[in-house]
Every structure is written in C-alpha cells, then in structure tokens.
Amino acid sequence: STSTSTSTSTSTSSAKANTAASTGAASLPTYPENAFAIWKRQQREGGSHFANIPPTSLPPRNPGKKRGPKKRGRPKGSTDTKPRKKMPPKELKWRSDVDKRRFTGAKHAVDLKVKGVERAEADVGKLEEEIRRAQARLEGAKKKIGRAKEAVRTTTIRHADDLLLEPTEWNRQYTRMLTFADDEGNVGHLAGGKIESMTGEEQKVYRSVYKWQSTQRTAKKKGTLEPYQEVLLDRIGFRWVVPGGPVQGPEGKWYKHYTALKEFKNTHGHLNVPREYPPHPKLKFWLKTQISFRRKKVAGKPEGKYLSDERERLLGELGVNWGAKRVTIPWESRFTELLQYRKDNGHCNIPWRWIGNRPLAAWVNAQRKKYMDMQRGKTSNLTQDQIRRLEEIGFRWNTGGTGRYSREPDDADQSSDSEASAEEQQERDSLVQQHGQLMEEAQALLVEGRSNIPGLGHIGANDFV
C-alpha cells in the first residue's frame, strides 16, 4: 500500500508538471541554458563527457558581469539623510606599563626633534623672505647708482672746461697734448713719425706727452681716472686701445722693424735673427715679442690685442714660424722619475748636466729656484706639500758648489760645503756660464719652432719644460 501511494503521488506530480508545462509554454519566456545548467542536466541524465568535469572549471554563469561584494548601506532610492553611526574602534590594551612608558618617552623625544625641524624651516622661510627683500633693495640701489653715475657724467660734461682750469699736472699735460694735433685735429694717439722734424726741446715734450698717453690708458684699466678726465679725453677722440697693424705708414716704429726683418730674410734666406745683429740690434727681441703677442692672442689673453690680424697676416706671409704649443709635464711625473733615480743611485743629487735625463735635471734645478724664490719672499708656485715630499726623500736645496743654488738664502754669508779646489771651482764657473748661454740659444730656437739646435741637436722640445 505504501508503494502504491508513492507511485500514485509521483505520477500525480509528474502529471501536474506536464500539465503546467503544456499550459504555460505559450506564456513563460524561455532562456538558453548556460554551461553550468547543461552540466547539471547531463549529470542527472547520466552518461556524458561533461559528467566528470567539476563545476569550478566551467565558465561562470554570466561571463560579462562581474560579481562584486554585496553593497551595504541605505537601499537604493532611500531619502534618509541622517549620518550613520560609526562604531567606535576597539580599544587595545598595553601589554605592560613598561612598554607604555618607553613609548611615551620615545614619542616625546621624536616630537621634540620634529618641532626643532619645524622651527628651522620657519627660520629658513624668514631668511629667504629677507633675502628676497634685500635683493629687491640691492637692485634698486644698483639702479640708483646707475642714475647717479649718469647724472655725474652729464654734470661733468657740462663743467669739464671749468674743471680744466685747475693748475694740476694732469691739466698741464692735457693742454700740451692738444698742441700736437695733426692737420685734421686728431691727437688721440701720437705716432712716432713726426718727431724727426722737431727740435730737441719739442722732441722732449713730445716724448713726455706720448708716455703720458700710455699712463692714461693704464689708469682707465685700473679705474683710477677721474670722471672729468675721461670726459675730456673722450671729447678729443682719445684712442684707449693702441691701433694695430702697419697703419702708421713707413714712418711707424712697427713698420720699420717689419721692413728690417724683411730685408734680413732677403739677404740670408731665413728668419733666424742672431742675438747680436749690428744693423738692427733690437730686431731679434722685437720678433720674439711679436711671437709672444700671437700666442697670447690665440690663448685669449688681453695682451694679444697688440698683434692685429693685419700684422699677423704680414708676418705670416713673410714666413714667421709661430712655434708649437708648449707641452707641460706634470709635477707628479717628474717626481716619479726622481724617485726612480733615487732607487737606482741611492740619492737625489742629480747633476745639472746629467745627459741621462736632461729634462729631469732641469726640473730639479727649477725646484731649487722656486724654493729660493719662496725663501726670499718672491712669488713661487711650489707648495708646502711638495717641499715636504722632496725633503722626505733626501732632496737637497743647495748643491754645495759655486753655482746658482750653492747656498741657502739664509746662509749666504757662510762658506760652501764643497771641498773642491780653486781650479775645480773655476772650471765649474765656466761650465755654468757656457750652460746658460746654450740654454738661452736653445730656448730661442725652440720659440721659432726649430729642431736643429747647434751643439744640442739631441735635446728634444720637452727638455726645457
């Protein structure tokens, strides 16, 4: 009876379900099955290749929609605007009173440092503000100085003639200079061509004014020229920079030297002017000066302006060799060579004519000269550290002979430590004199870029560094 009732209820429920499905098929919407529903149905029916696949490996029900956490708070559309009550945080307890005291002390120390940083930042802010105000005042003061200078110049220009009435040496020289104006009224730069047609007294005054003009150029560079003096000189077209090039014509001093150098080359076929050249005794010195001006011009120094482009072109066409750039060996490199010499020979007393390394011997003599200059109060680039390092290896500042560095500056009146005989000392003196002459000739030839040094052909260009 029990089985009969069970079957009857099952058939009744299935019949109801079929009736409901048949009656509501036209009214209820149908949805496509997703993968999970297919897996469930096939699992119920039994026998499918999806049966053993767990549902976690299947795609989600709605791949395009992300499932987030459930929203909490007021429902959508609520008009309640009262603030929600927040639960107070759970109060944690200290593990012990010792931990609490340690934390309180550390927090107090940190807070003190933080307050110190804040005070320092506030002070920096105040100082920056003061600097900005000071800069603004400085800019205003500079503008005020500029306006004051302009006012001084304007006033000076207006009263320059009255200031010239004062009986001073400068005003007297200025008035004398105006008497040597040329036909066009120019007196800004006195040339040397007019002096031959003057009398002895006129030549004396002319040379004095010529030298005075050079003094005014120097005074302006140093800033010691008074405003009215600069105004008066500018009024007459004073040449603050000496004109370069052979613009002075055949009577100019520079052009005369250039003509003499040109004649020397036409006669001898080269420009190696000897030290003693009777027709023009100063020709060699003048040529070396032009080469020096050209080097300073290439280096960007102010003295290079004395060799203009026109003068440089004329000398270059004549064949003047400006020479190669000088190579400077570092001090440490020479000191290392000295250490090697000490290791090989047991001392640092390098002979000044040592042919094994002439540049090193010249460097050693240069260190002695710098040391003596320092002891005598002259300018020297030898540092105290270099002196200490040389003395630590046993370097001797005096040679013990009769040469240039035979005595210490403080012991100039004491006798030499050398026990050489009178004949040896006389021989040394002659060798020193000969060496000086050879060094001067070699350096002069190096300036001219020549390598065939008479008597010293084996010496390189770096031997005189």
Side-chain angles (χ1 to χ4, degrees):
S1 61
T2 305
S3 61
T4 304
S5 62
T6 304
S7 61
T8 304
S9 61
T10 304
S11 60
T12 305
S13 62
S14 61
K16 290 180 181 180
N18 294 332
T19 304
S22 60
T23 55
S27 59
L28 296 177
T30 58
Y31 300 97
E33 292 182 319
N34 54 24
F36 188 81
I38 294 173
W39 177 77
K40 274 289 190 182
R41 179 174 54 77
Q42 291 178 352
Q43 192 178 30
R44 287 194 304 270
E45 294 175 356
S48 173
H49 64 279
F50 287 104
N52 297 325
I53 300 177
T56 55
S57 63
L58 296 175
R61 297 181 179 180
N62 297 322
K65 182 178 180 181
K66 295 183 179 180
R67 297 178 62 86
K70 185 178 180 181
K71 294 183 179 180
R72 300 179 182 276
R74 299 184 180 89
K76 188 176 181 181
S78 175
T79 59
D80 187 8
T81 58
K82 294 181 179 179
R84 297 181 64 85
K85 295 183 179 179
K86 294 183 180 180
M87 296 297 294
K90 186 178 180 180
E91 184 178 359
L92 302 178
K93 296 183 179 180
W94 294 93
R95 290 186 302 178
S96 63
D97 294 338
V98 176
D99 292 348
K100 186 175 182 180
R101 286 194 299 270
R102 289 178 59 186
F103 169 79
T104 304
K107 186 69 167 58
H108 179 69
V110 172
D111 290 342
L112 288 179
K113 299 300 180 182
V114 170
K115 290 181 180 178
V117 172
E118 292 176 352
R119 287 194 298 268
E121 291 178 349
D123 294 340
V124 169
K126 293 179 181 179
L127 291 175
E128 289 178 349
E129 182 63 24
E130 292 179 2
I131 290 174
R132 284 193 291 269
R133 294 177 181 176
Q135 288 179 346
R137 291 195 300 269
L138 178 62
E139 294 297 329
K142 287 182 178 180
K143 293 180 180 179
K144 186 176 180 180
I145 290 175
R147 292 192 297 268
K149 287 183 177 180
E150 186 64 25
V152 169
R153 183 171 181 82
T154 304
T155 307
T156 303
I157 293 174
R158 189 183 307 116
H159 301 285
D161 294 333
D162 297 335
L163 295 173
L164 188 60
L165 300 176
E166 184 183 5
T168 61
E169 180 63 22
W170 194 94
N171 293 342
R172 188 177 70 89
Q173 289 285 6
Y174 179 83
T175 306
R176 293 170 65 181
M177 181 184 63
L178 298 179
T179 61
F180 294 102
D182 56 12
D183 298 336
E184 298 179 356
N186 298 325
V187 72
H189 175 66
L190 299 182
K194 298 172 57 177
I195 196 171
E196 297 178 355
S197 60
M198 298 180 183
T199 61
E201 186 63 25
E202 290 177 347
Q203 290 182 2
K204 184 178 179 180
V205 176
Y206 188 88
R207 291 191 182 96
S208 176
V209 174
Y210 182 85
K211 185 178 180 180
W212 178 81
Q213 284 188 338
S214 178
T215 305
Q216 305 315 303
R217 297 186 181 96
T218 305
K220 184 178 180 180
K221 291 179 181 179
K222 295 181 179 180
T224 58
L225 201 64
E226 295 186 15
Y228 89 94
Q229 296 173 353
E230 185 176 351
V231 167
L232 290 174
L233 292 174
D234 288 338
R235 179 188 295 179
I236 63 173
F238 188 77
R239 304 289 291 273
W240 296 108
V241 179
V242 178
V247 297
Q248 304 166 8
E251 300 84 3
K253 188 176 181 180
W254 190 94
Y255 197 83
K256 286 183 178 181
H257 287 295
Y258 171 77
T259 304
L261 183 64
K262 192 173 183 180
E263 293 176 355
F264 178 87
K265 182 180 181 181
N266 294 335
T267 304
H268 301 85
H270 59 81
L271 295 175
N272 301 329
V273 183
R275 185 185 306 174
E276 296 180 0
Y277 184 58
H280 298 279
K282 297 182 179 180
L283 184 59
K284 182 177 181 62
F285 175 77
W286 176 84
L287 180 58
K288 291 175 64 176
T289 304
Q290 305 308 306
I291 294 174
S292 176
F293 283 160
R294 199 261 182 180
R295 288 181 176 175
K296 293 177 180 179
K297 181 180 180 180
V298 173
K301 296 183 178 180
E303 294 83 355
K305 65 186 178 183
Y306 296 117
L307 184 69
S308 63
D309 296 338
E310 180 67 15
R311 290 181 176 182
E312 183 179 354
R313 182 186 64 81
L314 289 175
L315 293 174
E317 292 177 354
L318 197 59
V320 174
N321 191 341
W322 303 113
K325 185 178 180 180
R326 185 177 179 181
V327 180
T328 303
I329 304 300
W331 191 91
E332 292 294 338
S333 301
R334 294 300 187 199
F335 183 73
T336 304
E337 295 178 7
L338 182 62
L339 291 177
Q340 185 63 36
Y341 178 89
R342 179 175 179 268
K343 181 179 179 181
D344 298 339
N345 301 275
H347 60 85
C348 300
N349 305 326
I350 299 179
W352 64 274
R353 294 193 66 183
W354 183 46
I355 62 175
N357 192 340
R358 288 185 182 274
L360 180 60
W363 179 83
V364 168
N365 291 334
Q367 304 312 302
R368 293 192 177 104
K369 179 183 181 301
K370 293 177 181 179
Y371 180 79
M372 294 183 69
D373 290 343
M374 180 183 295
Q375 296 298 319
R376 290 166 179 163
K378 297 182 181 179
T379 304
S380 176
N381 59 356
L382 191 66
T383 63
Q384 294 296 331
D385 182 66
Q386 294 173 349
I387 294 175
R388 178 186 57 80
R389 294 173 64 183
L390 289 172
E391 291 178 348
E392 287 178 354
I393 63 174
F395 186 80
R396 295 176 57 185
W397 298 109
N398 63 328
T399 58
T402 59
R404 184 177 183 182
Y405 313 111
S406 59
R407 301 178 183 178
E408 294 288 352
D410 297 337
D411 302 334
D413 298 333
Q414 299 179 2
S415 60
S416 172
D417 295 336
S418 176
E419 297 179 357
S421 61
E423 295 179 358
E424 292 177 350
Q425 292 180 0
Q426 186 176 2
E427 183 180 357
R428 286 197 189 97
D429 293 338
S430 62
L431 290 175
V432 169
Q433 184 177 4
Q434 182 181 2
H435 174 263
Q437 295 177 358
L438 291 175
M439 289 290 289
E440 291 180 0
E441 293 179 1
Q443 290 177 353
L445 291 175
L446 282 175
V447 170
E448 299 170 1
R450 298 195 45 97
S451 60
N452 53 343
I453 303 175
L456 297 175
H458 58 280
I459 299 178
N462 295 334
D463 295 346
F464 300 96
V465 177

